[in-house]
């Protein structure tokens, strides 16, 4: 049986169009075209049934954030239902419920919006690909104001089998898009060398001319909020785009100075062309582990850098956070702080595109980087 709250939300949020096109629309998204839906012509009614089953299963999976009594197993084939439910509950517990418990808040509402990219039905087998966007609310005790968090375009794939006239899921995969160092298709280009500082001679003394440059924390936040679910066409977009997004927020929004001198380089070179095809960049610009490593070890006075701090509550707007999800020592993911609420940072990040989420993502190790406020430029 469905939980009453689950049924109410499902009726509100789940709209299935039958007749060659079935999808839910999200802000900024698009529906799956009819050409993507490959259906057995002898049984077109299976299309709606398959999509409904997947949509119901996705809704139940996310409702675990609100109600742990939701029945997830009912959407799966009995041969895999125990395993699939266990995996879903473990994921939600580790990455959502346990961090919320540690922080002292609770999730109060969640809505999902799936867009079906493709549905292929061959006899009694079906394969589905969908992009799911989620909006959920969380509330701290004693507060009347909720936090709205959004996650966009999370890729799911599902395989279904038809048994006794009913479609049942035999496998549902969430494509974990956090990347390890080296999986990113990036180019590490050697630094162009440091610039010679301008000098003037006055009375026989060498006077170094320079100025202070300041990191704009609010500017970085504004950029991160503007592009949380988009891609700035000035830059190459990566399949794993988290570090690239943080770097852009530092530079475009925060006016941080790029670091060109070895060994701690951090830069992106558009080469003055209209497209991004010949652009160059460093690992530290586009890969989370290298970004954290280089920025935390750069001691040059005239380049963007930061310092590790021990607690999330030591961070400010425009700082960054790095995550090692499996504890192997490689930082898989980066995010930028866009809000401080009840002393706790909330972050935006790309891949999957996320807006104002509580900083604790359930990683085995989390590192906190406080960005330098200002520095002297020669």
């Amino acid at each position: 049986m469905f939980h009453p709250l689950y049924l109410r939300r499902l009726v509100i949020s789940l709209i299935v169009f039958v007749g060659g096109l079935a999808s839910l629309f999200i802000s900024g998204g698009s529906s799956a075209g009819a050409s993507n839906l490959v259906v057995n012509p002898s049984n077109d009614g299976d299309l709606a049934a398959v999509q409904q089953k997947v949509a119901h299963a996705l809704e139940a999976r996310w409702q675990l954030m609100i109600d742990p009594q939701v029945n997830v197993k009912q959407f799966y084939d009995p041969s895999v239902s125990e395993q699939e439910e266990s995996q879903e509950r473990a994921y939600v517990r580790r990455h959502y419920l346990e961090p919320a418990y540690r922080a002292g808040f609770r999730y109060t509402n969640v809505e999902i919006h799936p867009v079906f990219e493709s549905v292929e039905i061959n006899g009694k087998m079906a394969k589905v690909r969908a992009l799911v966007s989620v909006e959920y609310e969380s509330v701290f005790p004693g507060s009347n104001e909720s936090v709205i968090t959004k996650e966009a375009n999370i890729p799911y794939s599902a395989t279904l089998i038809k048994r006794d006239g009913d479609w049942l899921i035999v496998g549902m995969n969430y494509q974990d898009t956090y990347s390890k160092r080296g999986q990113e298709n990036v180019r590490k280009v050697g630094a162009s060398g440091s610039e010679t500082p301008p000098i003037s001679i006055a009375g026989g003394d060498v006077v170094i001319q320079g100025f202070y440059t300041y990191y704009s924390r609010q500017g970085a936040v504004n950029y991160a909020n503007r592009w949380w679910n988009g891609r700035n066409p000035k830059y190459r977009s990566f399949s794993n785009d988290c570090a690239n997004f943080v770097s852009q927020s530092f530079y475009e929004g925060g006016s941080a100075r790029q670091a060109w001198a070895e060994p701690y380089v951090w830069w992106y070179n558009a080469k003055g062309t209209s497209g991004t095809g010949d652009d160059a960049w460093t690992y530290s610009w586009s890969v989370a582990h290298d970004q954290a490593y280089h920025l935390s070890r750069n001691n040059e006075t005239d380049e963007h850098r930061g310092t590790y701090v021990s607690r999330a509550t030591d961070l400010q707007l425009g700082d960054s956070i790095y995550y090692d999800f499996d504890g192997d020592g490689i930082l898989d993911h980066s995010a930028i702080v866009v809000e401080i609420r009840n002393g706790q940072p909330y972050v935006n990040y790309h891949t999957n595109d996320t807006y104002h989420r509580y900083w604790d993502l359930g990683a085995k190790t989390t590192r906190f980087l406080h960005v330098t406020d200002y520095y002297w430029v020669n």
Side-chain angles (χ1 to χ4, degrees):
M1 294 295 292
F2 291 123
H3 188 276
L5 180 61
Y6 164 64
L7 275 176
R8 181 176 65 83
R9 290 184 184 135
L10 188 59
V11 170
I12 293 174
S13 64
L14 181 61
I15 306 172
V16 180
F17 293 93
V18 183
L21 174 64
S23 62
L24 288 167
F25 293 88
I26 60 172
S27 176
S30 61
S31 62
S35 61
N36 288 17
L37 304 177
V38 182
V39 186
N40 184 340
S42 65
N43 194 356
D44 291 349
D46 284 332
L47 174 60
V50 166
Q51 289 181 299
Q52 275 193 332
K53 184 68 67 171
V54 172
H56 281 67
L58 288 169
E59 179 76 11
R61 175 248 189 265
W62 285 96
Q63 285 293 331
L64 287 171
M65 295 171 59
I66 311 300
D67 179 11
Q69 302 304 316
V70 170
N71 184 353
V72 177
K73 292 191 293 184
Q74 62 183 306
F75 306 106
Y76 291 87
D77 186 79
S79 64
V80 299
S81 60
E82 292 287 347
Q83 176 184 349
E84 292 290 338
E85 182 190 47
S86 177
Q87 291 176 349
E88 294 286 13
R89 290 185 181 277
Y91 182 87
V92 171
R93 182 173 60 251
R94 175 180 173 184
H95 293 284
Y96 291 91
L97 298 182
E98 289 179 356
Y101 177 78
R102 288 192 291 267
F105 68 84
R106 62 186 177 89
Y107 293 107
T108 57
N109 185 39
V110 62
E111 295 182 3
I112 72 161
H113 306 277
V115 174
F116 290 95
E117 288 194 306
S118 67
V119 179
E120 300 179 13
I121 301 175
N122 292 303
K124 294 185 177 182
M125 295 293 296
K127 293 183 178 180
V128 177
R129 290 192 301 118
L131 294 177
V132 179
S133 291
V134 184
E135 182 173 314
Y136 48 87
E137 299 179 33
S138 57
V139 176
F140 279 89
S143 174
N144 294 323
E145 186 178 0
S146 61
V147 179
I148 303 296
T149 294
K150 302 176 183 179
E151 296 187 51
N153 301 323
I154 304 171
Y156 279 86
S157 61
T159 302
L160 298 87
I161 189 170
K162 193 173 186 180
R163 293 188 187 277
D164 299 324
D166 187 21
W167 285 99
L168 296 172
I169 299 171
V170 293
M172 175 88 82
N173 296 314
Y174 156 61
Q175 298 175 20
D176 189 347
T177 47
Y178 299 136
S179 67
K180 292 290 185 183
R181 190 178 82 166
Q183 291 181 346
E184 189 69 80
N185 182 23
V186 299
R187 288 175 282 174
K188 182 176 182 180
V189 183
S192 61
S194 58
E195 299 177 359
T196 302
I199 63 173
S200 64
I201 307 300
D205 296 327
V206 177
V207 179
I208 303 296
Q209 296 177 341
F211 56 92
Y212 279 108
T213 184
Y214 292 85
Y215 177 54
S216 173
R217 296 185 177 278
Q218 190 58 54
V221 170
N222 293 344
Y223 185 92
N225 285 334
R226 163 66 179 82
W227 292 102
W228 80 271
N229 190 22
R231 300 296 184 270
N232 188 336
K234 291 172 58 176
Y235 295 91
R236 178 72 64 87
S237 177
F238 301 110
S239 58
N240 299 293
D241 201 58
C242 61
N244 181 37
F245 172 65
V246 171
S247 287
Q248 289 178 38
S249 299
F250 286 155
Y251 178 65
E252 287 283 348
S255 300
R257 183 177 173 87
Q258 296 189 33
W260 290 79
E262 295 281 4
Y264 301 117
V265 292
W266 172 75
W267 52 263
Y268 187 100
N269 186 359
K271 297 189 175 180
T273 59
S274 58
T276 62
D278 62 346
D279 290 359
W281 53 88
T282 58
Y283 278 133
S284 55
W285 183 277
S286 59
V287 179
H289 184 85
D290 294 80
Q291 184 180 85
Y293 182 90
H294 285 277
L295 295 183
S296 66
R297 288 162 174 78
N298 182 13
N299 294 317
E300 294 295 323
T301 59
D302 60 351
E303 296 172 344
H304 186 52
R305 62 194 186 280
T307 303
Y308 281 134
V309 294
S310 59
R311 297 179 300 273
T313 51
D314 294 329
L315 295 175
Q316 301 177 26
L317 296 178
D319 288 340
S320 51
I321 304 179
Y322 300 89
Y323 304 88
D324 175 7
F325 286 102
D326 53 15
D328 65 353
I330 300 296
L331 297 170
D332 312 304
H333 182 54
S334 57
I336 185 166
V337 177
V338 294
E339 180 182 6
I340 305 294
R341 183 180 290 264
N342 293 317
Q344 298 287 343
Y346 285 71
V347 296
N348 285 8
Y349 53 83
H350 273 186
T351 324
N352 298 304
D353 301 347
T354 299
Y355 175 87
H356 286 235
R357 181 174 173 182
Y358 178 65
W359 68 267
D360 189 344
L361 307 186
K364 294 293 182 64
T365 303
T366 306
R367 304 295 299 274
F368 310 109
L369 188 74
H370 174 63
V371 175
T372 302
D373 285 292
Y374 62 90
Y375 35 86
W376 178 260
V377 176
N378 289 327

